[in-house]
Amino acid sequence: MSDAQARLNQVKDILTFNKTATTIPFDPNCTKFPSRKDVPRRADAPPGAAWVWGENDQIGRLNLLTPARVKAAAAEIKTGEKISLKSLPLNVPEVPAFHRETFTHEIKDLAEGKAFDDIYSLNTQSGTQWDGFRHVSHLATGTFYNNTHAADILGPAANLKNSIHHWSSAGGLVGRGILLDYRAYASKKGLQYSSFTDHRIPYEELHLCGKEQGIDIRPQAQGGDVRVGDILFVRTGFVEEYYDLHRKDGGKEEWEKLALRPHVIGPQDEQRWAGVAQEEKMLDWLHDCWFAAVAGDSPSFEAWPSNRGELACLLACLLVFLFERSVC
């Protein structure tokens, strides 16, 4: 951003009672944040990375869940209805995608039928989970968020840099959620697809989905309904389709074949899952809305395999997969 643009922003802030984030580290209490094309870049960050919270930050866009935004979110409660985005049982999927280890549960008899322990073994990526900042690096450089490296994660110098426990220490995830039920929208419009394929949901389709729900998915700064710090949920219908398949004769075996499709890194990967499209419009939208976190009900938030490389990892945005939507 040029000096002239910075001065212009200062004048605008004075006139509109706003506070615009312009200099790294950003103040989470700012009321306006730059678009993807205008966000300042750190010289030590990979190309395209929006690392704006300071060199010692470990929670990324969770910084946006300030007390003021949490309070504002709570003020929007009107009916008190509860929507459960519950985690799947630990053994679902029974055969995890991407060849991950299956969940096992053993009951250990401690005192001849009078006391017992439970022993669990699981890969935390096999079912409902948050992706932490130490999960996947910027592949071209091997760099994780805020210059965390493999040596910080595994080996004699391993440490807790960017460990997921920092999210809990910061107060967890409390904020306003926006659910885009793409599956319901597609069914209503007669758009047929399987979540077990690489069906790509473009921005334009999400925009129409939101419109159908009465939501303008543009950021508030552009006249839309999405506020800084909102938490995005996109439902593809994967969980519904998974359970429907298992209710059919031979469905369990059919799922096993899908889950065990060959897995390699790259477009030739035979693991195929529906999700948001890897396109410039989508990346601009995810960035410019300044979501605190994004979530999906499929094994991958973005359509898999990727057709352009990293998407959300460049945003320092949190990801959750395989949630189940139900009304209770």
Side-chain angles (χ1 to χ4, degrees), residues 2 6 10-11 16 21 27 33 40 70 73 79 144 151 167 176 188 192-193 199 214 230 232-234 302 305 323:
S2 67
Q10 289 175 350
V11 172
T16 60
D27 179 353
F33 292 85
V70 173
T79 67
F144 296 81
W167 305 358
R176 192 178 82 144
K188 184 176 180 179
Q192 301 297 318
Y193 70 92
H199 177 75
D230 281 350
L232 171 68
F233 300 86
V234 178
E302 47 188 302
F323 68 81

Side-chain angles (χ1 to χ4, degrees), residues 190-227:
L191 303 174
Q192 301 297 318
Y193 70 92
S194 170
S195 348
F196 306 152
T197 67
D198 59 344
H199 177 75
R200 301 179 189 276
I201 306 170
Y203 168 79
E204 293 300 337
E205 284 294 318
L206 277 188
H207 176 75
L208 292 173
C209 172
K211 187 176 181 180
E212 187 76 19
Q213 297 177 203
I215 302 171
D216 185 336
I217 70 168
R218 293 177 301 160
Q220 192 174 43
Q222 297 174 15
D225 295 324
V226 179
R227 298 177 185 172

